[in-house]
Amino acid sequence: MPERTPETHVIDYRAAEHLLAAHDPQGAVKLLDPVISAHPENTAARLLRARAFFHAAQLRSAELEFQLVLEREPDNAFAHFALGRTLQRANRPEEATRHLRLAAALDPRPDFVEAARFGDTGPGDAA
């Protein structure tokens, strides 16, 4: 395999974006792994890999990647939203609600606010 350079990492990152858009999340992960190995501080690559894990239904891997992004960028509304969705799929609704509400508080986009369900009283609570 030819030596990887910063330029080839950028090409791999862009190709991974296209693979994810083309519904090939596993292909995206394969391209991103060496990028992240070479640049572990690259939050954008980690966020893209987390999304790929999510779409590949590798929920634990997605959760860990989203958490790492949030350790570095605690105000990243999208990472909170995506982690919330990941936790929902993992049947952990209480944890999910916390992140979905943080996402909506950080960025009141309509989809974030709707997912946060601020008007709901929560499981088991009487209205």
Side-chain angles (χ1 to χ4, degrees):
M1 179 171 218
E3 185 176 328
R4 310 307 295 162
T5 65
E7 292 80 14
T8 58
H9 290 143
V10 170
I11 292 166
D12 288 346
Y13 176 86
R14 296 294 179 210
E17 287 180 316
H18 289 288
L19 286 174
L20 190 56
H23 307 290
D24 183 3
Q26 292 172 332
V29 168
K30 286 180 186 175
L31 283 177
L32 291 167
D33 284 344
V35 174
I36 291 170
S37 291
H39 305 281
E41 75 290 348
N42 187 319
T43 303
R46 287 194 175 274
L47 193 56
L48 185 59
R49 185 166 72 172
R51 290 178 48 220
F53 282 140
F54 177 84
H55 288 290
Q58 296 178 25
L59 300 181
R60 184 63 181 146
S61 295
E63 177 185 351
L64 292 172
E65 230 24 271
F66 285 128
Q67 286 175 339
L68 200 147
V69 168
L70 288 170
E71 284 175 17
R72 296 175 183 180
E73 297 180 4
D75 61 345
N76 186 317
F78 178 79
H80 279 290
F81 176 77
L83 178 56
R85 289 295 194 206
T86 301
L87 294 167
Q88 282 181 326
R89 283 182 73 185
N91 199 27
R92 294 161 54 194
E94 292 81 16
E95 293 172 80
T97 298
R98 176 179 175 269
H99 288 284
L100 293 170
R101 289 182 176 177
L102 280 167
L106 290 165
D107 183 356
R109 291 175 26 176
D111 53 336
F112 290 4
V113 171
E114 182 181 338
R117 300 171 59 174
F118 286 110
D120 290 355
T121 57
D125 292 343

